[in-house]
Amino acid sequence: KGLRPAAELSAVVKANAYGLGVHRVGPALLEAGCQIFFVAYAFEGTALRQLIGPDAKICIFNGPDADNITDFYANRLTPVLNTAAQIDLWERSGGDTPAMLHVDTGMNRLGLSPDEATQLAAKDTGLTISHILSHFSCSDDPEAAENTTQLARFQEARETLHTVFPEVQHSISASGGLFLPHEIEENLTRPGLALYGICPQVSLESALKTVAQLEAPVLQVRELKPGDPVGYGSTYRANKHMQVATIALGYGDGYSRALSGKGEVMLANTACPILGIVSMDLITVDISNCSEEVKIGDMAECFGHTLNIEKVAANAGTIPYELLVTLGDRVKRVYTD
Ligand SMILES: *Cc1c(COP(=O)(O)O)cnc(C)c1O
C-alpha cells in the first residue's frame, strides 16, 4: 500500500492463496480492509464468496465460459474478459453487469490485443467495464525493456478505450510491478506473492517480512561409516564418519525431488545439506556440523525465517511461487494470529 499510495490494493488469492489456505488468508485480508479479490477460476470465486461474505468484489482472471456463466450471476463474481468470445458471451448473458477487460500489452498470453481493443472501441457495445487490466511479463527485472514498452502500450489502449468507457479505471502491477522504479499510474494494484512476504525481485528479497515457514520433524538420527550409502539408488556415499538425521518431508508433500543432493535444511542453527535422493515421505540430511545435539522430534526449518524461500527455490531450479502452491495436503497449515 505504501509503495503505490494512490492506488487501491487488491489481493490475488488464486490456487488456495498460493498454497497457504484461502479459508484463513481470505477472511484475514478482508478484515485488514481488502475489498477486491482475484482468483483464476469461477469455482475458486464461488468458494471464496462463502468465506468472505457478500460485500467484497471477487474477480475471475480466466473469465467466463458457457459452462460456468451462471455461477458469475449466482455468486456475484466479476469476470475479467480476455477474448472477443468472452465479451460476446458476457454481452449475450445480460451484460451490462460490470466486468473488467484484459488488454495484452506484450506478454502474448491472455487478453485482447491492442488491435482488438481498438475494434471494441469502435463498436456500439452494451458492456460496463470498471477496470482495464494488463500484466507485465518481466517485472521481476527493473532493467527489462519490456516494462517500458508495455507501459506505453497500456497507456495507448487506455486512451483508445476511454472514448467508449469514460469512467474506466486501470490496473497493471502485480507484486513485481510494485517494486519497479518506473512512474506507474494506476487505480488498482494486484499483488499475490508479495502479500505473503516474498518479493519477486531477487535483489530486494529482504524488502518484505517472511510470513510462511515450512518445518518438519526429525524421525531418526544415525551414524555413518566411510562408504555407507544413503537413500534410493545409493547416490550418496559417506566419505568420513558422519551423523545424519532423517526428516519427515518428501516430494509427496510437495518438497521438490529436484532438491536431491542440492538442498539444505536448518537444524540447531546450522545449514544441513540433503544427502542423496528426496523420497516421497523422507529426506536425509548431514548433521555432522551441528554444534548442538540433534534429537528425534526436533523441527528442521525447510524454508522460512532463516533459510529464505528464494534460495530454496533456486536450489530446486524453480521460483518461490511453485514451492508454495505445490505444498501438499499432508503439510499441516498452522496459523499464528
Ligand atoms: C497471478 C496474477 C497476479 C498476481 O501475481 P504476483 O506475481 O503473485 O503478484 C496478478 N495479475 C494477474 C493477471 C495474475 O495472473
Side-chain angles (χ1 to χ4, degrees):
K1 183 77 181 145
L3 288 165
R4 201 63 52 70
E8 180 167 2
L9 182 71
S10 72
V12 178
V13 294
K14 59 195 180 190
N16 193 27
Y18 289 46
L20 297 178
V22 73
H23 66 293
R24 293 298 296 272
V25 171
L29 291 169
L30 181 77
E31 198 169 305
C34 182
Q35 278 300 309
I36 305 184
F37 292 82
F38 284 91
V39 289
Y41 289 96
F43 70 81
E44 292 181 301
T46 299
L48 183 60
R49 180 59 77 209
Q50 304 300 316
L51 292 166
I52 63 170
D55 296 332
K57 204 181 259 208
I58 299 176
C59 314
I60 311 300
F61 280 135
N62 286 4
D65 62 36
D67 293 333
N68 67 20
I69 185 94
T70 55
D71 298 342
F72 283 81
Y73 293 96
N75 299 294
R76 293 195 316 97
L77 308 178
T78 302
V80 177
L81 304 176
N82 298 289
T83 62
Q86 288 184 344
I87 290 172
D88 197 43
L89 179 66
W90 192 248
E91 275 184 314
R92 281 189 287 112
S93 73
D96 63 350
T97 310
M100 297 185 176
L101 189 67
H102 190 162
V103 178
D104 190 299
T105 50
M107 194 165 189
N108 289 312
R109 189 179 68 165
L110 201 55
L112 298 187
S113 68
D115 283 351
E116 287 173 315
T118 306
Q119 287 161 24
L120 179 70
K123 277 207 261 175
D124 183 18
T125 154
L127 293 172
T128 304
I129 299 296
S130 66
H131 294 78
I132 301 169
L133 312 188
S134 196
H135 194 58
F136 285 117
S137 55
C138 303
S139 63
D140 57 342
D141 175 12
E143 307 291 325
E146 284 88 340
N147 297 323
T148 314
T149 321
Q150 287 193 268
L151 279 170
R153 288 196 189 131
F154 192 46
Q155 178 68 27
E156 275 171 41
R158 279 158 47 189
E159 283 165 16
T160 310
L161 289 161
H162 202 259
T163 56
V164 269
F165 308 118
E167 305 286 300
V168 79
Q169 304 213 321
H170 30 89
S171 168
I172 190 164
S173 293
S175 299
L178 287 175
F179 293 93
L180 286 177
H182 304 60
E183 189 86 19
I184 301 178
E185 208 201 300
E186 64 192 319
N187 306 102
L188 180 70
T189 58
R190 311 186 308 267
L193 192 71
L195 296 173
Y196 312 115
I198 306 166
C199 183
Q201 291 178 21
V202 175
S203 59
L204 295 173
E205 68 191 26
S206 61
L208 297 167
K209 190 171 150 197
T210 297
V211 302
Q213 173 144 310
L214 177 64
E215 294 177 5
V218 172
L219 287 183
Q220 192 169 21
V221 174
R222 69 171 75 241
E223 308 273 337
L224 297 184
K225 301 185 300 301
D228 283 349
V230 177
Y232 283 121
S234 303
T235 59
Y236 181 84
R237 270 176 205 280
N239 55 11
K240 54 181 184 341
H241 280 281
M242 295 173 78
Q243 268 218 311
V244 301
T246 303
I247 292 170
L249 184 71
Y251 65 81
D253 304 296
Y255 191 74
S256 177
R257 196 167 173 278
L259 290 164
S260 297
K262 284 189 199 153
E264 57 190 16
V265 305
M266 297 299 297
L267 266 169
N269 300 314
T270 309
C272 302
I274 294 174
L275 304 177
I277 301 284
V278 172
S279 354
M280 190 182 291
D281 317 309
L282 301 167
I283 52 176
T284 305
V285 303
D286 180 3
I287 54 170
S288 310
N289 292 332
C290 292
S291 49
E292 286 164 44
E293 189 196 354
V294 171
K295 299 181 298 299
I296 289 171
D298 284 357
M299 295 302 269
E301 178 189 325
C302 305
F303 63 68
H305 297 293
T306 318
L307 183 58
N308 76 42
I309 190 170
E310 287 89 347
K311 188 171 175 199
V312 178
N315 281 338
T318 185
I319 52 176
Y321 296 79
E322 194 181 18
L323 289 194
L324 288 182
V325 302
T326 54
L327 284 179
D329 291 343
R330 298 199 305 190
V331 177
K332 186 172 163 196
R333 274 68 166 171
V334 179
Y335 302 89
T336 51
D337 287 318

